[in-house]
Amino acid sequence: MAAVPAMKAEEGHPKVGALIRARRRQQQMTLMDLGESAEVSVGYLSQVERDHATPSLGTLAQIARALGVSIDYFIAAPATHTALTRASERNRFSVDGSSMIYERLGADFPGNQLSSFVMTVPPGYRSETVAHEGEEILFVLEGSIMQRLDGEDMVMNAGDSLHFRGNRPHSWSNHTDQPARLLWTGTLALFRSTARPTRQLPDKVKTGTPKPAKNKKMVKPMEKR
């Protein structure tokens, strides 16, 4: 595959954490506000904003929607406007600070519901635990990964697949010494320009007024890779 190296932040270009923090403050949101809206734990968000953790593409999409922007606000990923992509021509990209490499397959057009990527998972990589809307299909193209779903660990080798609802807590890791390549397809909106905040914040928040606790599934931090 003729590939472009994973993108890195340009000299002087803000990292993902700094961009999230700046946008959050611009929206006058606290870490708790953002965590509740994106369904990501405050502790994990704090790590991301301080560049102590790097979110997966899916988690970054949840954060972007909560902040009312497209994921393109945080990373420069090649757009796919046509139905056909060539293996020898697809560009590769990554979230700044992450060793995960993505190849975008899905195209944008009115009414599309699917997102799809080929993901290269380096040896030793561990994702954060996530739970979100929609459904996912995972197919192992090369290598082997350890998939964790609802607390159950399963080894997936080349040719294995898994179809599940995104609201079931899940994560994955590469426990081998070789890269793994996965085909991921799901209904989670990632690059759609229709991204909107999942809830509207009031113009003013009264100080001293406690907010009711909400029981939500949150993204849990994992060690940075």
Side-chain angles (χ1 to χ4, degrees):
M1 176 186 300
V4 175
M7 293 184 177
K8 297 182 180 180
E10 297 176 358
E11 189 71 25
H13 181 71
K15 292 186 177 181
V16 169
L19 289 171
I20 291 173
R21 182 171 57 249
R23 176 65 180 177
R24 173 177 63 79
R25 290 175 175 174
Q26 183 184 49
Q27 296 295 99
Q28 298 183 336
M29 299 175 74
T30 65
L31 276 172
M32 183 174 293
D33 291 331
L34 180 55
E36 290 178 355
S37 187
E39 299 186 42
V40 177
S41 73
V42 172
Y44 183 68
L45 275 175
S46 178
Q47 289 184 42
V48 169
E49 286 196 356
R50 290 180 289 125
D51 292 316
H52 291 167
T54 303
S56 66
L57 203 58
T59 299
L60 187 58
Q62 291 175 241
I63 295 171
R65 281 198 303 277
L67 291 171
V69 295
S70 166
I71 199 171
D72 300 88
Y73 184 88
F74 300 109
I75 60 174
T80 302
H81 299 293
T82 62
L84 177 66
T85 67
R86 301 286 188 185
S88 60
E89 298 173 357
R90 278 196 302 269
N91 289 332
R92 303 191 298 173
F93 69 97
S94 64
V95 179
D96 178 41
S98 173
S99 52
M100 275 279 293
I101 299 174
Y102 301 87
E103 300 172 47
R104 187 176 178 182
L105 304 180
D108 282 331
F109 52 83
N112 76 298
Q113 297 295 317
L114 295 177
S115 297
S116 188
F117 298 87
V118 171
M119 306 189 302
T120 300
V121 188
Y125 179 89
R126 299 179 67 195
S127 78
E128 67 271 34
T129 300
V130 297
H132 50 72
E133 62 183 18
E135 57 185 302
E136 301 183 23
I137 296 178
L138 193 64
F139 183 88
V140 182
L141 299 170
E142 299 173 10
S144 177
I145 64 164
M146 176 75 75
Q147 177 75 29
R148 187 174 181 83
L149 182 64
D150 269 343
E152 178 185 355
D153 291 329
M154 58 194 83
V155 175
M156 296 181 62
N157 299 310
D160 294 343
S161 67
L162 184 66
H163 185 193
F164 58 95
R165 289 187 179 277
N167 61 3
R168 301 173 65 185
H170 54 281
S171 63
W172 65 92
S173 62
N174 184 346
H175 58 288
T176 74
D177 59 0
Q178 297 294 322
R181 295 183 76 239
L182 318 175
L183 172 62
W184 178 93
T185 301
T187 56
L188 177 65
L190 295 176
F191 287 92
R192 296 176 200 165
S193 58
T194 53
R196 293 289 184 273
T198 55
R199 68 185 180 92
Q200 294 293 326
L201 294 176
D203 293 335
K204 293 183 179 180
V205 179
K206 295 181 180 179
T207 58
T209 304
K211 296 183 179 180
K214 295 182 180 180
N215 293 321
K216 288 190 174 183
K217 295 177 180 178
M218 296 290 187
V219 172
K220 298 177 182 179
M222 298 286 283
E223 64 177 295
K224 181 179 177 182
R225 294 284 178 181

